[in-house]
Amino acid sequence: MDGSNHSRVSEFLLLGLSESPEHQRILFWMFLSMYLVTVVGNVLIILAISFDSHLHTPMYFFLANLSFTDLFFVTNTIPKMLVNLQSQNKAISYGGCLTQLYFLVSLVALDNLILAMMAYDRYVAICRPLHYTSAMSPRVCISLLTLCWALSVLYGLIHTLLMTNVTFCGSGKIHYIFCEMYVLLRLACSNTQINHTVLIATGSFIFLTPFGFMVMSYVWIVRAILRIPSASSKYKAFSTCASHLAVVSLFYGTLCMVYLKPLDTYSMKDSVATVMYAVVTPMMNPFIYSLRNKDIHGALGRFFIGKSFRG
């Protein structure tokens, strides 16, 4: 359909997951609770790693950046969602919607790339321990993180700029909680084939390539662990990877449910999966990484004890 016969929308209406006032009240308190837990959990991880010299290692360097990314990610979407759940005015401007989309797309990509760097760190630590100091030096870690940021920024810019060429028509109603890529493409009344093709191509590169890298890393890690003669040493080596594996499984499990499928099959079921990776995954990450991590427990204890003495 030719988009020139339609006027451009100046704003969208984020109607959320339900238009029932009763359901909206439940959703408000649920998402507010999840947001507060996510903020507190990730801030504590960042503070523990920043203020404890024992945690100034490559693994915790990337973990702190993962927590920062998750914190930024939920702050990009949930506050506006909470306002909409409590307000009669559910409008978001065209520019505001594209800004939210840019950060959403960029930060999901950054999360994924940081997880790949964490897998590489575990691979070097377990399979190439003698080269760990040089292979994961501070300079190398900063370079790897800079590359992650550059790729994620570029990925977000590509899709946001492509979205500016899409014509939207009609009421601009979004039966969703934030401006998400597939939801916006479903509202388009112009040809979105280029958007969809680029989404699949770049998504395969930015997500499947790191995922393949993580799979290969863990194949080598498992082989190395199986060669360790001591059962206790095997358990210790595997325990350093267990948290990362759990986060990767949660992240990719929810992400694949949404994006590795044709655009025209997108439905409300996928909105639940999007909530999972957009809200639940950032909330769970601090718990997964700190639940059985004595280093994090010790760092938090020293941080709060130090604060109480200084107070």
Side-chain angles (χ1 to χ4, degrees):
M1 185 181 296
D2 187 358
S4 62
N5 294 330
H6 301 271
S7 58
R8 283 185 175 272
V9 297
S10 59
E11 63 180 21
F12 297 96
L13 297 176
L14 293 172
L15 301 180
L17 298 177
S18 173
E19 295 185 55
S20 165
E22 182 180 347
H23 290 166
Q24 287 188 357
R25 281 193 295 272
I26 295 172
L27 288 171
F28 173 82
W29 290 110
M30 182 182 73
F31 283 123
L32 177 61
S33 301
M34 295 170 76
Y35 179 62
L36 293 176
V37 170
T38 303
V39 170
V40 171
N42 283 288
V43 167
L44 286 177
I45 292 288
I46 293 170
L47 289 176
I49 294 172
S50 300
F51 286 95
D52 196 304
S53 59
H54 297 91
L55 301 185
H56 292 175
T57 63
M59 180 176 72
Y60 290 111
F61 170 75
F62 287 115
L63 177 57
N65 280 278
L66 182 69
S67 291
F68 174 78
T69 304
D70 286 342
L71 191 60
F72 195 177
F73 184 84
V74 294
T75 303
N76 175 52
T77 54
I78 297 184
K80 176 62 177 174
M81 180 201 316
L82 294 174
V83 170
N84 287 349
L85 287 170
Q86 287 291 92
S87 172
Q88 295 299 317
N89 182 13
K90 302 183 185 301
I92 182 172
S93 68
Y94 176 81
C97 189
L98 289 188
T99 300
Q100 191 179 72
L101 174 69
Y102 166 74
F103 284 112
L104 180 70
V105 171
S106 298
L107 293 171
V108 170
L110 183 58
D111 242 12
N112 168 69
L113 293 170
I114 291 177
L115 287 173
M117 294 302 102
M118 294 174 78
Y120 175 66
D121 170 77
R122 292 299 82 204
Y123 163 76
V124 177
I126 295 173
C127 300
R128 299 287 186 271
L130 298 179
H131 301 282
Y132 186 77
T133 303
S134 58
M136 298 302 293
S137 67
R139 183 176 179 179
V140 171
C141 291
I142 292 172
S143 298
L144 290 174
L145 184 64
T146 302
L147 178 62
C148 293
W149 272 96
L151 289 174
S152 61
V153 166
L154 180 62
Y155 181 70
L157 280 174
I158 288 172
H159 291 292
T160 305
L161 290 174
L162 283 174
M163 192 63 74
T164 61
N165 294 322
V166 175
T167 302
F168 301 97
C169 51
S171 61
K173 291 182 178 180
I174 299 177
H175 291 274
Y176 207 56
I177 52 179
F178 49 76
C179 294
E180 195 271 337
M181 178 76 71
Y182 271 18
V183 174
L184 289 176
L185 291 177
R186 288 291 294 269
L187 291 178
C189 55
S190 59
N191 193 325
T192 60
Q193 186 60 44
I194 292 178
N195 299 72
H196 195 218
T197 301
V198 173
L199 182 63
I200 296 296
T202 57
S204 298
F205 170 75
I206 211 78
F207 291 102
L208 295 186
T209 301
F211 179 71
F213 174 78
M214 282 186 266
V215 170
M216 290 304 300
S217 295
Y218 274 106
V219 168
W220 287 104
I221 286 171
V222 169
R223 290 179 62 180
I225 291 175
L226 291 177
R227 287 198 294 265
I228 299 175
S230 168
S232 60
S233 298
K234 284 182 180 179
Y235 175 78
K236 185 178 179 180
F238 181 75
S239 65
T240 64
C241 305
S243 297
H244 181 260
L245 278 172
V247 171
V248 168
S249 300
L250 182 61
F251 178 82
Y252 274 97
T254 54
L255 206 63
C256 289
M257 289 170 63
V258 180
Y259 293 111
L260 293 185
K261 61 194 309 182
L263 175 61
D264 55 7
T265 65
Y266 192 81
S267 66
M268 185 55 72
K269 289 190 305 180
D270 302 301
S271 69
V272 177
T274 307
V275 170
M276 285 290 292
Y277 87 74
V279 183
V280 177
T281 301
M283 181 184 70
M284 292 302 298
N285 285 354
F287 292 101
I288 293 173
Y289 276 107
S290 64
L291 193 61
R292 300 179 63 184
N293 191 316
K294 294 179 180 179
D295 293 336
I296 293 289
H297 292 170
L300 287 174
R302 288 187 291 272
F303 175 77
F304 285 114
I305 290 172
K307 285 290 183 183
S308 63
F309 275 120
R310 286 192 290 271

